[in-house]
Amino acid sequence: MDPREAFALDLGRVSRRWRARLDERLKVTGLTQARWSTLLHLSRAGECLTQRELAARVGIEGPTLVRLLDALEAQGLIERLPVEGDRRANSIRLTEAAQPLLAEINRIAADLRREILAGVPVEDLETCQRVLRHIGDRLERS
């Protein structure tokens, strides 16, 4: 098999399995994969995101995000704020109630990372990260 083809197949396999394993462990939070993923994207943004920005980061369509945000808002984990100068847009912000849940999500994710990456030399991880950034940048440009 061509090394590029093998790499692409392995990358997809690892990504799917890692996400499935994380989702399995995060079931204790009571959140679906879509909900915990959305909360993590908001948390890592470090600021409010518009619904459009959040949909792009999460990789879902606007109408799907609206239903997801309705559920997170009903749980008291996010709030929608009007965007000044654009009556059609909303900014999304995490609430204080989301912070303990995010701490738990991050703890579980960190534990899984430690388990999965145990024994992998830091230099190999750095090389992998450079390769993935290169691929990601190319995908973003196209």
Side-chain angles (χ1 to χ4, degrees):
M1 181 184 294
D2 173 64
R4 288 172 182 82
E5 181 181 359
F7 177 84
L9 291 172
D10 285 344
L11 180 61
R13 179 181 56 87
V14 168
S15 178
R16 283 188 306 276
R17 288 187 179 168
W18 193 317
R19 191 172 195 117
R21 183 79 49 91
L22 183 56
D23 191 44
E24 178 183 301
R25 297 222 182 153
L26 288 174
K27 285 203 186 306
V28 299
T29 66
L31 296 173
T32 64
Q33 188 176 99
R35 289 182 189 180
W36 62 253
S37 175
T38 300
L39 292 175
L40 281 176
H41 280 285
L42 282 167
S43 170
R44 291 183 178 139
E47 59 188 40
C48 292
L49 293 174
T50 65
Q51 285 184 207
R52 181 173 292 178
E53 292 167 333
L54 184 56
R57 286 184 187 210
V58 175
I60 60 177
E61 298 295 321
T64 304
L65 180 66
V66 169
R67 290 189 300 275
L68 185 57
L69 294 177
D70 288 344
L72 290 171
E73 191 171 40
Q75 288 181 273
L77 300 174
I78 59 113
E79 59 186 358
R80 291 175 169 117
L81 306 167
V83 173
E84 192 174 319
D86 188 348
R87 294 185 316 170
R88 298 172 298 153
N90 285 312
S91 255
I92 311 303
R93 177 172 65 189
L94 292 167
T95 64
E96 282 300 314
Q99 299 311 315
L101 186 56
L102 279 163
E104 179 71 359
I105 291 167
N106 282 312
R107 184 194 61 74
I108 291 169
D111 288 348
L112 180 61
R113 259 192 318 274
R114 273 191 296 280
E115 287 174 33
I116 291 173
L117 299 175
V120 178
V122 172
E123 299 79 23
D124 289 353
L125 291 173
E126 290 168 345
T127 298
C128 242
Q129 192 172 13
R130 278 193 305 277
V131 170
L132 290 173
R133 278 197 183 126
H134 178 78
I135 293 167
D137 290 348
R138 183 165 284 172
L139 288 168
E140 294 288 326
R141 286 192 303 267
S142 59

